[in-house]
Amino acid sequence: MSGIQVLRGQKVQFKNPLKDVHIAILPIAGCAWIDTTEGFVVIDTLISRGAAKKAREQIKDKIKYIIYTHGHMDHVMGASEFMDEGTEVIASKYLPDRLDRYKMLASHRAHISAVQFNIPEVVIPMEFVYPTKTFLGNMTIKLGDKTFELHTARAETDDVCWVYVPELNVAFIGDLIVGRTFPNIGNPWKPTRFALDWAKALEEVRTINPEYIFCNGAAVMFKGEEAREALDANIEVIRNLHDQVVDFINEGMHITEMIHKVKIPDHLKDSPYLRPSYSRLEFFAFNVYRWYHGYFDDNPAHLLPRPEKEVMGEIFNLIGDSDKILNRAKELLKQDQAQLALEVLNVLIQADSEIIEARKLRIELLKNLAAEDYCLMSRNAWVYYINKDKEFINSKSKKDE
Ligand SMILES: [Zn+2]
């Protein structure tokens, strides 16, 4: 995951789940440090310097290596607190490019984080510790009595590096799994994830058959049979859904139909390892589609489209009556069709965004969509736009006073 600010002010918890393995836990981030006879190896660095400082205070010896499992902010932002003299920072070859992109797109990213996490829109300083050594493929580090086998992959990001420590029979897999949740393969705000390569990376982990898996940074641990079940469930659901989308693309199905047709196999629907609490099936389908498919949807009207506002303005002028649109949207809401109602109402809001009654009705529709939505990302989005409409209505009523 990549949340900024989300965890500010959250208390860091510390655990020592295995001999020589220590972890720091925040609600959606974590890091680990492994004790060797020649110093410590830190895997991931938490989301902020404040949280990382508390973790650093727990580490009594020198830190020789920091390994980034990937470049998401909740894995790299605390790194400066873990730097000792000569500490090597190891990452995928593609990780520095990611950090550069975060700087380049700081304003845009502040906005999308505000929607995705429903937090204030603040551009935070992008200060990173860049890797001192990068690589692609496999690399082994020996330190004292431990070996660290590093493997790069493309999965949630293009810069994944997961780690196996044979002496402990432990794999640190970053966000290849984020807990007991449906894999975070689709994110409406972010570039595409790598579904098929993600499954292959998990299959490599499964081949090693580690007794312990640390994931979500290192905040979550699976042991023994649970580790194997979590891997099996994630691999199967990714491969199955990926293949469904590929088949639908080959059939020429439109993406707006596809997201409603793709289905989780029955025997995985209630899997305790795949709860749709963070991402969701439709986001997964969009994501695989975007990876393999261009923007054009086989409709010539959409090859070089006019701005949406202009098109909706034309349609609205043909309808000629805002009440017709408002009433139809209300009818659809009564028929439990809030999404369709939202799209009908969109004709009016795009044609004229200042109609208070339309904005009030949109709040109703978004509340309806949010009420039974357990996916954190879509629920936050509905609430974000409810608040935007409320702000707009309040600002109008103040002007009228
Ligand atoms: Zn991540």
Side-chain angles (χ1 to χ4, degrees), residues 8 74 127-128 170 182 210 212 265 331 372 393:
R8 286 217 168 132
D74 48 324
E127 289 160 356
F128 302 115
V170 173
F182 185 75
Y212 303 92
E331 255 174 43
E372 290 195 15
I393 292 164

Side-chain angles (χ1 to χ4, degrees), residues 296-326:
F296 182 54
D297 64 354
D298 219 17
N299 177 345
H302 297 156
L303 187 59
L304 295 168
R306 297 297 308 166
E308 189 184 15
K309 269 184 151 339
E310 191 182 323
V311 177
M312 295 303 175
E314 287 291 329
I315 294 170
F316 174 66
N317 286 338
L318 289 174
I319 298 165
D321 180 357
S322 55
D323 281 343
K324 269 191 186 170
I325 297 176
L326 290 164

Side-chain angles (χ1 to χ4, degrees), residues 233-374:
N234 276 272
I235 291 164
E236 192 181 353
V237 85
I238 294 169
R239 280 204 172 269
N240 187 295
L241 296 176
H242 167 272
D243 291 354
Q244 288 182 49
V245 176
V246 168
D247 287 347
F248 289 144
I249 290 173
N250 282 326
E251 285 169 24
M253 187 184 289
H254 197 273
I255 179 63
T256 54
E257 290 178 38
M258 200 186 296
I259 62 165
H260 305 292
K261 284 256 162 64
V262 171
K263 293 280 178 268
I264 294 177
D266 281 346
H267 66 285
L268 292 174
K269 262 187 194 138
D270 298 319
S271 166
Y273 300 100
L274 301 173
R275 286 174 301 146
S277 53
Y278 187 68
S279 189
R280 59 190 299 158
L281 182 61
E282 295 90 338
F283 293 168
F284 186 119
F286 262 117
N287 178 79
V288 176
Y289 174 84
R290 283 194 297 147
W291 177 238
Y292 293 124
H293 201 291
Y295 78 91
F296 182 54
D297 64 354
D298 219 17
N299 177 345
H302 297 156
L303 187 59
L304 295 168
R306 297 297 308 166
E308 189 184 15
K309 269 184 151 339
E310 191 182 323
V311 177
M312 295 303 175
E314 287 291 329
I315 294 170
F316 174 66
N317 286 338
L318 289 174
I319 298 165
D321 180 357
S322 55
D323 281 343
K324 269 191 186 170
I325 297 176
L326 290 164
N327 290 338
R328 180 60 185 150
K330 286 175 192 165
E331 255 174 43
L332 287 167
L333 176 61
K334 273 193 199 135
Q335 294 161 17
D336 209 19
Q337 293 252 45
Q339 174 59 38
L340 189 54
L342 186 62
E343 293 182 55
V344 169
L345 183 64
N346 189 46
V347 174
L348 180 54
I349 290 180
Q350 290 294 318
D352 182 355
S353 63
E354 305 251 314
I355 299 171
I356 297 288
E357 203 185 337
R359 301 290 284 263
K360 282 185 175 164
L361 179 55
R362 186 160 71 176
I363 291 174
E364 288 302 304
L365 300 178
L366 295 174
K367 278 185 175 169
N368 185 283
L369 289 167
E372 290 195 15
D373 191 338
Y374 299 103

Side-chain angles (χ1 to χ4, degrees), residues 60-330:
K60 303 298 177 205
D61 199 358
K62 211 172 159 182
I63 294 168
K64 293 285 177 65
Y65 293 98
I66 294 171
I67 300 166
Y68 291 142
T69 62
H70 60 300
H72 276 160
M73 308 278 267
D74 48 324
H75 302 257
V76 301
M77 288 300 272
S80 56
E81 296 296 326
F82 295 105
M83 291 298 283
D84 290 329
E85 208 187 322
T87 302
E88 286 263 38
V89 183
I90 315 285
S92 156
K93 184 185 165 198
Y94 296 127
L95 186 136
D97 292 347
R98 171 174 302 277
L99 302 185
D100 290 344
R101 282 200 297 278
Y102 287 168
K103 289 178 180 171
M104 183 174 76
L105 292 164
S107 300
H108 166 66
R109 291 182 51 81
H111 172 66
I112 61 177
S113 289
V115 187
Q116 182 179 337
F117 296 107
N118 197 22
I119 55 176
E121 189 170 325
V122 181
V123 180
I124 59 165
M126 295 285 152
E127 289 160 356
F128 302 115
V129 175
Y130 278 71
T132 57
K133 185 175 177 57
T134 64
F135 75 108
L136 275 185
N138 304 322
M139 187 171 88
T140 300
I141 298 170
K142 275 288 261 182
L143 185 66
D145 59 345
K146 307 275 190 314
T147 315
F148 297 83
E149 297 173 5
L150 279 54
H151 308 266
T152 59
R154 295 193 301 188
E156 192 191 32
T157 56
D158 60 356
D159 59 359
V160 169
C161 169
W162 61 274
V163 183
Y164 177 64
V165 183
E167 293 82 1
L168 300 168
N169 202 3
V170 173
F172 297 90
I173 64 169
D175 286 353
L176 288 180
I177 293 177
V178 288
R180 293 170 190 279
T181 65
F182 185 75
N184 180 23
I185 286 184
N187 179 319
W189 296 272
K190 302 288 167 61
T192 51
R193 298 356 185 154
F194 304 87
L196 188 57
D197 287 342
W198 193 326
K200 289 176 183 171
L202 288 171
E203 283 161 358
E204 273 191 60
V205 177
R206 185 167 64 180
T207 302
I208 290 176
N209 193 21
E211 183 62 13
Y212 303 92
I213 287 174
F214 286 86
C215 58
N216 192 5
V220 176
M221 183 183 87
F222 291 112
K223 176 180 183 298
E225 199 49 36
E226 269 198 338
R228 287 179 276 281
E229 285 173 6
L231 285 168
D232 287 346
N234 276 272
I235 291 164
E236 192 181 353
V237 85
I238 294 169
R239 280 204 172 269
N240 187 295
L241 296 176
H242 167 272
D243 291 354
Q244 288 182 49
V245 176
V246 168
D247 287 347
F248 289 144
I249 290 173
N250 282 326
E251 285 169 24
M253 187 184 289
H254 197 273
I255 179 63
T256 54
E257 290 178 38
M258 200 186 296
I259 62 165
H260 305 292
K261 284 256 162 64
V262 171
K263 293 280 178 268
I264 294 177
D266 281 346
H267 66 285
L268 292 174
K269 262 187 194 138
D270 298 319
S271 166
Y273 300 100
L274 301 173
R275 286 174 301 146
S277 53
Y278 187 68
S279 189
R280 59 190 299 158
L281 182 61
E282 295 90 338
F283 293 168
F284 186 119
F286 262 117
N287 178 79
V288 176
Y289 174 84
R290 283 194 297 147
W291 177 238
Y292 293 124
H293 201 291
Y295 78 91
F296 182 54
D297 64 354
D298 219 17
N299 177 345
H302 297 156
L303 187 59
L304 295 168
R306 297 297 308 166
E308 189 184 15
K309 269 184 151 339
E310 191 182 323
V311 177
M312 295 303 175
E314 287 291 329
I315 294 170
F316 174 66
N317 286 338
L318 289 174
I319 298 165
D321 180 357
S322 55
D323 281 343
K324 269 191 186 170
I325 297 176
L326 290 164
N327 290 338
R328 180 60 185 150
K330 286 175 192 165

